[in-house]
Amino acid sequence: YKNTIDKNAVIEHIESLGAAICSIYTHDIYTGEEFNSGFYVDGDFHFPVDFLRYYKTRDIGIPYEYEEYLKGILK
């Protein structure tokens, strides 16, 4: 996805949500580092904690539906 919304604003917003963390561990597919699994919930949107990790470090975007939603709530 190629988004028009500021990536740092998206990261800041998702981090402000807090995550529902599980006691089960998962691992980073690139580094092998283990971390707690879980989900972020933002309205009708749900995504695993892995997503934010990769969004911060990789050249990936957010789904266009989520981008439109964020444009309506981010300043």
Side-chain angles (χ1 to χ4, degrees), residues 35-53:
F35 57 94
N36 286 90
S37 62
F39 285 89
Y40 290 100
V41 177
D42 191 3
D44 291 336
F45 299 93
H46 302 79
F47 43 94
V49 296
D50 308 43
F51 170 75
L52 182 59
R53 180 180 196 90

Side-chain angles (χ1 to χ4, degrees), residues 2-36:
K2 296 296 181 188
N3 305 113
T4 60
I5 197 167
D6 180 62
K7 190 169 188 168
N8 289 323
V10 174
I11 291 168
E12 192 174 304
H13 173 72
I14 293 172
E15 287 177 335
S16 77
L17 298 172
I21 300 295
C22 300
S23 60
I24 300 170
Y25 285 91
T26 188
H27 70 280
D28 186 302
I29 61 173
Y30 297 102
T31 67
E33 179 185 353
E34 286 191 341
F35 57 94
N36 286 90

